[in-house]
Amino acid sequence: MPSETFDFLKNPLRTREDLQRACTSLLDPLELYTSPNGARIKLGYTATHYDDIAAQLEGFARPLWGLASLLHGGGDYPGHERWTRGFAAGTDPNSDEFWGFTRGKDQRMVEMSPIGFTLAMAPEQFFQPLSQQAKDNLINWLGCINGKDMPDTNWLWFRVFANLGLSKINAPYSASQLKADLDHLDTFYLGDGWSRDGPAGVRQLDYYSGSFAIQYAQLVYSKLAAKEDPERCEAYRERARLFAKTFIHWFDEDGRSAPFGRSLTYRFAMASFWGALAFADVEVPGISWGTIKGVLLRHMRYWTTQPGAFTRDGVFTIGYTYPNMNMTENYNSPGSPYWAFKAFIPLALPETHPFWMAEEEPFPIASIPKVFASEHPGHIYTHLGGHTFLLSSGQSCHYPLRAGAEKYGKLAYSTAFGYAVPTGTLLLDQHAPDNTIALSEDGGVVWKVRRECDDARIEYEKPSDKANSLCWLRAVWRPWKDVEVETILVPPHPDTPLWHIRVHRIKTGRELTSSDAGFSNYGQRKDGRALDAVDASSITSGDDAVLDGKSSSDPPTEDAAWALASSAGGVVAVRDLTHLALPSSSASRRKGEVTNLDANTNIVFSRSIMPTIIGSHLGSSRDEWFVTGIFALPSRLGQEGVPKSAWVAEWIKNPVVPDAILKIIKGA
């Protein structure tokens, strides 16, 4: 728990002055961890795949995203001199704090990006005060990125920013390298504002396509290089206008964004795209400045409600809403979370800018589509029933990422309930396969989940009228050579807004156990003890209180199997709909179960619980179809639980499998 003197958690984050104070309140704690000459900031002792000097450079460089913006916009921070001294010491080969010259595919390349940005934005504070020798050292150190081997990903933007920064201080830079990198990065573009994070064959479209890297970089470049590269810059601005129409669906009314993909320890960098829009003066038709301001500042305010994101000193932890190494990547050092400082870019704007002059507006829930399909990322977004989440199929990380199946391959990702990552390799509680179908060939000890799909697509009931048509996601994966699983994901219908539907087809040459789980939820009662089992009758009876408990149909009853968990996080449940949707089905009876997940699996709730439907499947040459309803209603931010009156009537209903989906099943 951070100290009570840590100002960030008390910041209302409504005004430009509030955002300035938020930035400085996060910069101040770094002084304690800064080396004598300022070049290294060592925030902890956990390791990465790269060396510790590069990790300390990361701690130095990433806060510059915010500090340079603050100073460019006329703000003041006396502590900036620590970084000025650090530039001199870090680039001096004779200094004890020398960062070292970059090699190919070196983490130092990543940190050259905020340094290049800083030279472009605040040379008066960070470059001009240096001695001529220190200036030469900095120019030489930054320029050595040219001609080196780089990953064929968003990393190429880091070299763009290094050369851009050098050009802005009239230092030697490689114009040919700059153009070649930009030309190649443009080949990642797919359409509708979306770029994949790599060349053809990569289907990875996450926050790196938007706030973390590509869209953010394009917008900043479009502002800083508008005179030198006007045609490309205008193309980037148009891509941002298109992207905003989809990216708005990643956020909810409380400022939360959907945790999807890798590097989520960057936290409020998730919303930095909206600040970059303002920095680049890009107006988006249909999305007002007040809306853009609201999406960014509400998201920032969400993080003021998450003390677990910070140490007692006010330093970012590695994790999401609490310290959590299970969810991290092998490139997350203690300084990595300071990529979040990208969100401070509106501080570069004067107080007269339309972004700051506009009144903050609520999230435009009434004016955006309640269900929206986006074909490039393979997502269907929904805001029905007070719950924002995305259905997903087809993405995967292009390299063996820790928990990659969980970060890209689950069936749904919620702004409120997050997702879970495994802590071990045995039993459901360690695998934590929420929001996915998991399969086991040994009776439930070891489980496999979807990581890659052979075929994933969005289909429409009326392809000629997509905007007004029922849509669904359809994908196939093969966990073993003799097992094929097809899944159809159907978004909520206005008549049953708290339900969405999964349809699975399994063809297996071996006996299998399946777990078809819903959203995981906070797993404790109001008094902090684990949720108790409650009688099924108590769900629909009694007063209009928040149900604090779990229940399921284990052992199976004459009714369809189900499982439910209600707590301060909201209510989540699953129900077997197979025999209702497919009366003639010979599918084996399934049972409901509520599993207490291992601690620190869910990235939002450190103690969590998961409702699931457990099934058994005999080896057969036939296709076996089964249908599951997924039910969820989260608590609003600041509330603890949802009263029964808000959800019990919807829980009693059964969602209807659309005729178009039944035709697929019958025609198979």
Side-chain angles (χ1 to χ4, degrees):
M1 174 70 71
S3 166
E4 291 194 5
T5 61
F6 180 48
D7 183 65
F8 181 81
L9 298 181
K10 298 177 285 186
N11 193 320
L13 280 165
R14 298 279 178 181
T15 67
R16 186 170 182 265
E17 292 72 24
D18 290 339
L19 194 64
Q20 288 176 330
R21 197 169 78 253
C23 182
T24 59
S25 70
L26 293 171
L27 289 169
D28 285 343
L30 300 179
E31 182 175 11
L32 179 64
Y33 300 93
T34 301
S35 58
N37 292 319
R40 300 181 185 179
I41 298 180
K42 185 177 179 64
L43 297 172
Y45 294 90
T46 55
T48 56
H49 72 83
Y50 49 87
D51 60 278
D52 194 53
I53 294 174
Q56 294 177 57
L57 166 60
E58 194 173 45
F60 170 91
R62 296 194 171 195
L64 289 167
W65 287 116
L67 179 54
S69 296
L70 172 72
L71 299 177
H72 181 88
D76 181 48
Y77 184 67
H80 82 265
E81 60 83 24
R82 301 197 302 272
W83 277 268
T84 307
R85 291 189 294 108
F87 278 124
T91 59
D92 180 359
N94 297 316
S95 168
D96 291 339
E97 297 182 14
F98 180 50
W99 296 324
F101 292 112
T102 189
R103 303 172 180 174
K105 298 183 178 180
D106 192 318
Q107 185 67 24
R108 289 161 179 79
M109 293 174 161
V110 182
E111 312 320 319
M112 289 177 174
S113 182
I115 290 173
F117 174 77
T118 298
L119 293 180
M121 295 288 285
E124 296 85 356
Q125 292 88 353
F126 296 111
F127 184 71
Q128 292 176 9
L130 300 178
S131 69
Q132 187 58 52
Q133 183 61 60
K135 289 177 180 177
D136 292 343
N137 287 341
L138 176 54
I139 292 168
N140 183 48
W141 181 85
L142 197 58
C144 75
I145 193 173
N146 291 310
K148 299 290 197 307
D149 188 24
M150 296 192 80
D152 193 7
T153 66
N154 73 86
W155 272 50
L156 295 170
W157 273 110
F158 307 148
R159 189 158 58 199
V160 168
F161 271 78
N163 279 301
L164 184 63
L166 289 170
S167 74
K168 293 299 180 180
I169 57 171
N170 298 313
Y173 74 101
S174 177
S176 60
Q177 182 76 77
L178 177 63
K179 183 179 185 303
D181 286 339
L182 288 165
D183 288 346
H184 186 71
L185 283 161
D186 286 345
T187 68
F188 296 175
Y189 185 62
L190 297 171
D192 297 327
W194 282 95
S195 295
R196 59 180 176 257
D197 190 10
V202 170
R203 194 175 186 191
Q204 193 172 337
L205 297 95
D206 51 15
Y207 284 99
Y208 282 91
S209 295
S211 285
F212 289 172
I214 295 173
Q215 274 288 348
Y216 188 96
Q218 290 176 167
L219 284 165
V220 174
Y221 181 84
S222 78
K223 179 69 172 282
L224 298 180
K227 292 181 180 179
E228 297 82 2
D229 197 1
E231 185 175 343
R232 194 191 310 267
C233 289
E234 183 50 43
Y236 288 164
R237 293 158 66 84
E238 180 57 26
R239 291 180 193 178
R241 295 183 188 101
L242 295 170
F243 182 79
K245 300 289 189 179
T246 299
F247 197 49
I248 192 78
H249 293 282
W250 290 54
F251 294 82
D252 70 14
E253 297 162 279
D254 289 328
R256 299 172 292 202
S257 59
F260 174 82
R262 63 191 180 99
S263 299
L264 297 183
T265 196
Y266 298 167
R267 295 184 172 102
F268 46 79
M270 297 162 82
S272 63
F273 165 78
W274 303 104
L277 273 179
F279 176 75
D281 304 311
V282 176
E283 295 186 2
V284 181
I287 303 179
S288 67
W289 283 118
T291 296
I292 291 169
K293 182 178 184 178
V295 174
L296 176 62
L297 293 185
R298 271 190 304 275
H299 184 73
M300 298 289 289
R301 291 198 292 270
Y302 168 73
W303 288 104
T304 68
T305 70
Q306 304 301 323
F310 306 93
T311 67
R312 182 168 179 80
D313 293 335
V315 171
F316 274 121
T317 58
I318 303 176
Y320 195 61
T321 66
Y322 62 93
N324 185 356
M325 296 302 293
N326 296 316
M327 62 158 285
T328 60
E329 292 80 31
N330 64 358
Y331 53 81
N332 291 157
S333 84
S336 294
Y338 286 84
W339 206 251
F341 271 53
K342 282 191 165 189
F344 289 118
I345 197 168
L347 294 179
L349 301 171
E351 60 185 11
T352 55
H353 191 278
F355 176 88
W356 290 118
M357 295 292 289
E359 289 290 327
E360 180 180 322
E361 296 177 19
F363 187 77
I365 192 70
S367 60
I368 61 175
K370 299 299 184 294
V371 176
F372 180 81
S374 184
E375 298 194 24
H376 291 299
H379 290 165
I380 297 176
Y381 309 97
T382 174
H383 305 276
L384 283 169
H387 185 197
T388 292
F389 64 96
L390 62 88
L391 301 174
S392 182
S393 287
Q395 289 203 44
S396 62
C397 189
H398 64 277
Y399 63 93
L401 180 76
R402 185 195 310 170
E406 288 70 29
K407 294 169 183 176
Y408 294 93
K410 288 184 187 275
L411 309 181
Y413 294 85
S414 164
T415 60
F417 295 114
Y419 65 81
V421 294
T423 59
T425 60
L426 302 176
L427 305 178
L428 276 179
D429 61 330
Q430 293 180 24
H431 280 275
D434 66 340
N435 273 319
T436 195
I437 181 171
L439 299 172
S440 172
E441 62 174 345
D442 61 7
V445 179
V446 177
W447 296 82
K448 282 195 173 186
V449 295
R450 187 178 75 172
R451 187 175 74 87
E452 293 182 332
C453 299
D454 296 330
D455 182 24
R457 60 194 183 276
I458 297 175
E459 296 182 339
Y460 299 86
E461 185 177 23
K462 299 175 182 178
S464 62
D465 187 18
K466 292 181 179 179
N468 299 301
S469 174
L470 171 69
C471 59
W472 56 86
L473 275 162
R474 192 173 181 182
V476 175
W477 63 291
R478 294 174 174 83
W480 293 275
K481 290 182 179 180
D482 59 345
V483 178
E484 180 178 277
V485 182
E486 180 177 17
T487 295
I488 299 171
L489 302 175
V490 184
H493 187 277
D495 292 342
T496 50
L498 302 187
W499 291 95
H500 73 273
I501 295 172
R502 295 180 196 157
V503 179
H504 302 291
R505 176 183 60 82
I506 291 184
K507 186 174 183 178
T508 175
R510 62 186 73 191
E511 291 188 11
L512 293 174
T513 302
S514 66
S515 165
D516 199 10
F519 298 95
S520 54
N521 193 6
Y522 179 60
Q524 307 299 109
R525 302 183 316 205
K526 289 181 180 178
D527 63 3
R529 304 294 291 273
L531 289 179
D532 292 325
V534 298
D535 187 81
S537 62
S538 66
I539 295 175
T540 55
S541 62
D543 58 16
D544 185 26
V546 173
L547 177 67
D548 231 8
K550 60 183 180 179
S551 191
S552 68
S553 60
D554 182 21
T557 66
E558 291 300 315
D559 298 323
W562 57 272
L564 180 147
S566 177
S567 70
V571 58
V572 297
V574 289
R575 182 181 291 162
D576 187 359
L577 304 176
T578 306
H579 295 280
L580 297 174
L582 307 171
S584 60
S585 172
S586 59
S588 59
R589 175 71 69 175
R590 298 191 290 167
K591 67 176 183 177
E593 180 179 298
V594 180
T595 299
N596 291 317
L597 298 181
D598 206 358
N600 309 319
T601 50
N602 184 293
I603 67 170
V604 174
F605 309 116
S606 58
R607 295 176 175 87
S608 57
I609 197 165
M610 179 185 78
T612 188
I613 302 290
I614 303 295
S616 299
H617 312 274
L618 300 176
S620 170
S621 59
R622 296 184 301 104
D623 289 335
E624 179 185 358
W625 292 87
F626 51 99
V627 184
T628 305
I630 311 298
F631 183 90
L633 179 62
S635 301
R636 291 296 302 268
L637 191 64
Q639 297 178 350
E640 293 192 350
V642 183
K644 289 183 182 180
S645 60
W647 61 270
V648 166
E650 297 298 325
W651 165 248
I652 294 171
K653 297 178 184 177
N654 282 311
V656 176
V657 179
D659 288 341
I661 304 300
L662 293 175
K663 288 179 182 178
I664 293 174
I665 298 171
K666 293 174 181 177

